Amino acid sequence: MREVSLKDDIFWVGAIDWELRDFHGYVTQRGSTYNAYLILDEKKVLVDTVKDYLFDQMLSRIENIIDPADIDYIVSNHVEMDHSGSIPAILKYCPNARIITSKMGEKGLRKHYGEDLDLVQVDSEETLDIGKRTLTFVHTPMVHWPDNMVTYLNEDKILMSNDAFGQHIASPERFDDQLEWGILREEAAKYYANIVLPYSPQVQKALEALSGLDIDIIAPSHGIIWRKNVERIIGEYRKWAGSETPADSVLIVYDTMWGSTEKIAYTLLEAIEEEGKSVTIRNLNESHISDIMTDLLESRFVLIGSPTLNNGMLPMVGKFLTYLKGLRPAGRIGMAFGSYGWGGQAPGEVEDIMKDLGWEIPVDKVRINYIPGEQDLKKVREEGRKLVNSIEEE
Ligand code: FEO
């Protein structure tokens, strides 16, 4: 397996997971990578590892460069097993290596791999001299777990950012100047929407903490390494972590039983498009919830429709809303809709979840009995227009 050089004596030695299609519920159409990095100085340092079943890939890349027995330190920026999973295996090759981690990292690593680990706990902004280079560790709690930290190589201006700035992409390319920005941005947005979104306040703090660093390269723990678009991806993170979302993007998400709720959904789309807004529509049976979250990341208006089944919403809508509640997107303007035969509780249930998320609900939920007729659709159009004009009317 081939290693890749980032700068003199700094190498990517990670693993490519070509076949990965499901990352605990997140559809990873392009697979992923787990990025480990090797720094050669007076001390030899391995930063993060890979999933346990891909250990041989990492080992083979390291062995191309040095004898693994020469590794002095393993930096564990994050306990989650996609990055720590090969620590026990690599320690068999370098039993004297010491593991550097945060306080929460120490707790997590001991729980995962036993009390005997030789760990060095570092505070935020603590430095380690490894010869010609100095490493600075900056704690970034909750980006993505409480233990997270990043490692900054002062002389080389490389930020090893772990989960932050990652994307799930398996590819022969390692750097962002080798792939289309559009693909990179879409996968980085999907990653943010499905992994990082609940921790946006902590991302803002982390961006603040990192703002004083001079960064040439961001080397995340998943996907492609940023060396061309460093400022650009930081700018996207600032936007995604903020509460402001683009004013004119609208997302309609629905499931349908006999086509009536779908008819309402497409009527809303037409009416809102006539108001000059950009609208995306997703049927929950055709689009995966993790892809819908990517749409939602940059949508200010979110309309969710469900017919009523057994006095409640359809199961696919329930699945989506359970996922949505966990990811906690803030600052949206919501509207619920759906057709019903009797009861008609589903739109109310959807609206309650929107309220729990703190979303604004400027117009009433739309409930249409059985098949929407001409008058019903006229009302649907009016409510859709009212919704997207509610900001100007405030
Ligand atoms: Fe890529 Fe939170 O692990």
Side-chain angles (χ1 to χ4, degrees):
M1 294 283 177
R2 185 173 61 95
E3 76 286 1
V4 178
S5 171
L6 275 70
K7 286 197 177 184
D8 286 349
D9 291 334
I10 301 170
F11 300 93
W12 173 85
V13 290
I16 304 177
D17 199 344
W18 293 98
E19 309 298 338
L20 184 81
R21 291 294 176 271
D22 182 310
F23 201 93
H24 44 62
Y26 170 159
V27 171
T28 48
Q29 291 97 330
R30 289 191 163 93
S32 193
T33 72
Y34 316 105
N35 296 338
Y37 300 99
L38 185 66
I39 307 164
L40 306 185
D41 209 311
E42 286 170 27
K43 300 291 183 189
K44 314 283 183 281
V45 184
L46 178 66
V47 179
D48 289 317
T49 69
V50 301
K51 272 188 180 175
D52 55 0
Y53 60 79
L54 295 173
F55 170 69
D56 287 347
Q57 272 198 44
M58 182 181 81
L59 180 66
S60 133
R61 294 184 214 279
I62 293 172
E63 284 177 330
N64 285 345
I65 309 165
I66 56 166
D67 179 345
D70 293 340
I71 295 173
D72 298 286
Y73 294 110
I74 301 167
V75 175
S76 177
N77 281 320
H78 183 20
V79 172
E80 195 164 13
M81 288 175 284
D82 45 340
H83 310 299
S84 70
S86 287
I87 288 178
I90 193 68
L91 279 175
K92 291 191 176 131
Y93 291 80
C94 51
N96 297 320
R98 306 198 73 192
I99 301 169
I100 295 175
T101 190
S102 65
K103 182 178 180 184
M104 293 302 286
E106 173 169 2
K107 189 176 167 200
L109 289 172
R110 290 203 191 286
K111 289 289 277 182
H112 279 72
Y113 306 112
E115 294 296 324
D116 295 339
L117 291 177
D118 182 10
L119 291 160
V120 183
Q121 198 188 105
V122 286
D123 289 331
S124 194
E125 303 197 19
E126 193 168 330
T127 58
L128 177 73
D129 187 343
I130 59 167
K132 295 191 299 264
R133 294 178 177 80
T134 313
L135 311 185
T136 301
F137 308 102
V138 180
H139 291 192
T140 52
M142 300 315 299
V143 190
H144 161 227
W145 280 9
D147 53 85
N148 270 84
M149 65 179 195
V150 298
T151 300
Y152 179 64
L153 283 62
N154 293 270
E155 292 75 11
D156 302 283
K157 301 177 184 174
I158 298 176
L159 180 69
M160 295 182 174
S161 61
N162 198 264
D163 275 344
F165 306 108
Q167 343 84 42
H168 285 310
I169 299 176
S171 115
E173 295 86 7
R174 295 273 64 80
F175 296 102
D176 61 336
D177 45 282
Q178 299 165 335
L179 276 178
E180 290 291 326
W181 164 252
I183 292 171
L184 291 165
R185 187 191 181 280
E186 184 184 343
E187 291 297 342
K190 183 171 182 180
Y191 188 91
Y192 191 96
N194 286 278
I195 305 275
V196 187
L197 183 60
Y199 313 114
S200 290
Q202 290 88 347
V203 171
Q204 288 176 2
K205 279 188 197 153
L207 289 170
E208 189 63 31
L210 301 174
S211 63
L213 301 180
D214 188 6
I215 301 171
D216 271 0
I217 293 177
I218 297 178
S221 60
H222 294 289
I224 299 300
I225 297 164
W226 305 95
R227 65 181 177 190
K228 177 185 173 194
N229 296 292
V230 169
E231 286 306 317
R232 212 171 178 188
I233 192 62
I234 290 174
E236 298 293 342
Y237 260 59
R238 283 195 198 288
K239 193 173 68 184
W240 296 331
S243 56
E244 286 300 311
T245 46
D248 31 12
S249 48
V250 180
L251 174 65
I252 301 173
V253 183
Y254 72 96
D255 193 2
T256 196
M257 205 185 310
W258 292 104
S260 291
T261 299
E262 183 166 62
K263 198 164 191 177
I264 300 168
Y266 273 88
T267 302
L268 286 165
L269 175 140
E270 280 173 24
I272 295 170
E273 277 190 346
E274 281 166 17
E275 295 301 298
K277 307 290 186 193
S278 157
V279 189
T280 299
I281 191 163
R282 300 290 184 205
N283 179 329
L284 279 159
N285 286 291
E286 309 302 334
S287 295
H288 194 269
I289 54 174
S290 57
D291 288 316
I292 295 174
M293 282 310 302
T294 315
D295 298 321
L296 197 145
L297 181 67
E298 298 185 285
S299 299
R300 183 154 198 196
F301 296 95
V302 182
L303 297 81
I304 301 174
S306 175
T308 298
L309 173 76
N310 300 328
N311 299 325
M313 65 183 85
L314 282 189
M316 282 301 285
V317 181
K319 177 181 173 179
F320 173 62
L321 290 175
T322 299
Y323 194 57
L324 188 70
K325 276 198 291 182
L327 292 168
R328 300 197 301 278
R332 268 59 178 184
I333 299 171
M335 176 180 162
F337 63 93
S339 81
Y340 68 100
W342 49 103
Q345 296 94 334
E349 289 184 352
V350 170
E351 193 180 85
D352 285 347
I353 290 172
M354 291 175 168
K355 286 178 183 165
D356 286 348
L357 288 166
W359 294 7
E360 282 180 59
I361 313 286
V363 301
D364 280 345
K365 53 190 167 292
V366 170
R367 298 162 69 245
I368 305 290
N369 189 223
Y370 288 120
I371 295 170
E374 210 171 292
Q375 283 308 308
D376 295 320
L377 294 177
K378 190 171 169 224
K379 179 176 177 270
V380 168
R381 276 190 280 272
E382 278 168 16
E383 294 302 310
R385 279 196 285 266
K386 234 196 295 178
L387 177 78
V388 294
N389 291 315
S390 61
I391 301 175
E392 285 85 353
E393 287 169 6
E394 277 171 357

